[in-house]
Amino acid sequence: MDKIEIFGGKPLVGTISISGAKNAALPIMAASLLTNNEIKLSNIPNLSDINSMLKLLKSLNSNICKKSEKVIIKSQKPKSNFASYELVRKMRASFLVLGPLLSRYGEAKVSLPGGCAIGARPIDIHLKGFEKMGVNFEIKDGYVIGKVKKNLKGAQISLPFKSVGATENLLMAATLAEGKTIIVNAAQEPEIIDLGRCLKLMGAKVSGLGTSKIIISGVKKLMGCNYKIMPDRIEAGTYLFAVLGCSGSVELVNLNNEVIQNLIDTFAQFKDLDLVKKNNTSIFVKSSKKIFESVNIKTLPFPGFPTDLQAQLSAVMTRAKGTSIIEESIFENRFMHVAELRRMGANILIKGSRVIIKGKKKIFGAQLMATDLRASSSLIIAGLMAEGKTTINRVYHLDRGYEKIEKKLSKCNANIKRIKG
């Protein structure tokens, strides 16, 4: 297995191009199953999760043409609406093919999903929503088997919490359902808006994107389209935290107005980090302080502080002045990075759903083990901040969500390299 080796202590200076958002690209790729016309996508990141979704779509009889950051997908009727365990186990977003398959073909057999073990993330909320639309389910031998008598029927679906995955799955399914579907307490993440915009280009009738109430009027057929995937706000946020932890000045490019504003709003509470919008596609970030202030933050659904940046924040706060308290309200088991940060000398304690971090002047390089995607990026940040050498093992987690992270950082003065396994 590959490793990442870092010699820390250097400020970050340079330019980083932000890749397309994985969390927007995956559901949009799944949406290609809703039409037999070509879906032409650009700004697709080169990630293992993307490749996993392409393999899954290919197994469902989609023709795939991939060149650089562009992908063309043409869906044809599958011989079997079957998403196997081997293809679904690596990535939870694979479960998003369920809605399109049920909507277009009336039946599907999809393996229970895999992916990062950061909490139960139950699929019940998906299934209960589909049941209201007329789907009958059974779970057998590790598979969800769903069937519809004729067509999906529009329904009012109230989600018990703002589930991103359930919102996306139900939104896609509702586009071809008979009648009107209303999703109440829908998730409001920008990635869902991106999916909705793509669906509307395909001919879907959707309103309320970005609000907690999404209304979909079903149509009989969807068309193909050309669509550019939004920039990855979580990748951008990860680099902003790296600058805060290491000091320096970095320009982030390949952004858009909405993502830039979201970053400015999210990071406004970090007084030791200066963010300046340069234009509609780039933002300049600077941090000159070696000692920065602690924070108290709770992760929340959008537009709150994202759970996908909680681990990175935890890493940075190991060297803050004072005590930081970070509460995780989305996933109950998203603290697997804590044990690794302790190996670096961090004073960090888990109490229920909170981590309490007493900042120290120094943390030290160590042998570390990556456990999930965002925990992996937090260890990268910690290694950049630490004194001495850090080696991060099992970095295949990183490759699920960060495109060439070591190359992007090495161009910004970081002493970081990948060691091939």
Side-chain angles (χ1 to χ4, degrees), residues 59-338:
S59 78
L60 293 168
N61 205 27
S62 293
N63 291 325
I64 309 289
C65 179
K66 186 175 187 296
K67 290 183 180 179
S68 186
E69 43 73 60
K70 294 183 179 179
V71 174
I72 300 173
I73 307 170
K74 192 176 191 303
S75 172
Q76 303 174 98
K77 186 173 182 178
K79 296 175 183 177
S80 171
N81 300 326
F82 173 65
S84 74
Y85 169 75
E86 282 303 312
L87 291 169
V88 176
R89 67 181 177 86
K90 296 180 181 179
M91 180 183 64
R92 194 163 190 88
S94 302
F95 200 64
L96 293 175
V97 300
L98 180 64
L101 288 175
L102 288 171
S103 190
R104 190 165 173 209
Y105 302 112
E107 60 180 8
K109 182 178 180 182
V110 179
S111 172
L112 291 168
C116 291
I118 56 170
R121 302 207 276 191
I123 63 164
D124 291 12
I125 188 171
H126 298 241
L127 303 189
K128 287 177 181 176
F130 286 128
E131 284 172 347
K132 288 193 173 182
M133 300 176 77
V135 184
N136 293 312
F137 285 108
E138 65 172 322
I139 297 178
K140 186 178 179 181
D141 301 326
Y143 284 85
V144 173
I145 304 168
K147 291 185 178 180
V148 186
K149 282 186 178 180
K150 288 186 178 179
N151 298 317
L152 288 180
K153 307 292 185 184
Q156 178 155 323
I157 303 166
S158 295
L159 302 182
F161 62 91
K162 291 180 178 289
S163 166
V164 172
T167 301
E168 292 169 338
N169 229 340
L170 295 166
L171 168 58
M172 287 187 284
T175 59
L176 294 177
E178 291 181 2
K180 183 183 291 186
T181 299
I182 301 173
I183 305 174
V184 180
N185 200 33
Q188 298 169 243
E189 271 70 5
E191 292 78 12
I192 294 172
I193 299 173
D194 215 40
L195 169 62
R197 286 172 176 166
C198 182
L199 291 170
K200 288 174 76 171
L201 276 182
M202 294 167 68
K205 295 181 178 179
V206 182
S207 62
L209 292 169
T211 76
S212 61
K213 184 178 179 180
I214 300 177
I215 301 170
I216 311 103
S217 296
V219 298
K220 290 185 177 181
K221 186 178 180 180
L222 293 179
M223 306 171 292
C225 72
N226 293 357
Y227 195 77
K228 182 179 180 180
I229 303 297
M230 66 176 282
D232 195 324
R233 64 191 175 98
I234 302 301
E235 183 194 14
T238 299
Y239 291 125
L240 293 184
F241 274 134
V243 173
L244 177 60
C246 299
S247 77
S249 56
V250 170
E251 183 180 3
L252 303 183
V253 300
N254 194 33
L255 296 170
N256 65 24
N257 259 326
E258 290 173 292
V259 171
I260 289 171
Q261 190 56 52
N262 175 239
L263 291 171
I264 290 172
D265 293 342
T266 300
F267 284 82
Q269 57 203 304
F270 299 97
K271 305 302 182 184
D272 302 310
L273 195 65
D274 296 324
L275 271 70
V276 178
K277 178 181 176 182
K278 291 194 70 176
N279 52 48
N280 292 343
T281 60
S282 68
I283 190 170
F284 184 78
V285 56
K286 183 177 181 181
S287 179
S288 58
K289 296 184 179 179
K290 296 294 183 182
I291 299 176
F292 40 89
E293 296 298 322
S294 57
V295 295
N296 289 351
I297 283 180
K298 179 179 181 179
T299 65
L300 291 167
F302 188 87
F305 186 83
T307 180
D308 279 352
L309 287 175
Q310 178 258 114
Q312 300 91 312
L313 171 61
S314 298
V316 172
M317 290 300 118
T318 60
R319 288 192 53 233
K321 179 183 178 182
T323 300
S324 296
I325 299 175
I326 305 169
E327 183 175 354
E328 175 57 60
S329 73
I330 309 297
F331 297 121
E332 72 275 16
N333 188 30
R334 204 165 201 179
F335 295 135
M336 289 185 283
H337 52 285
V338 169

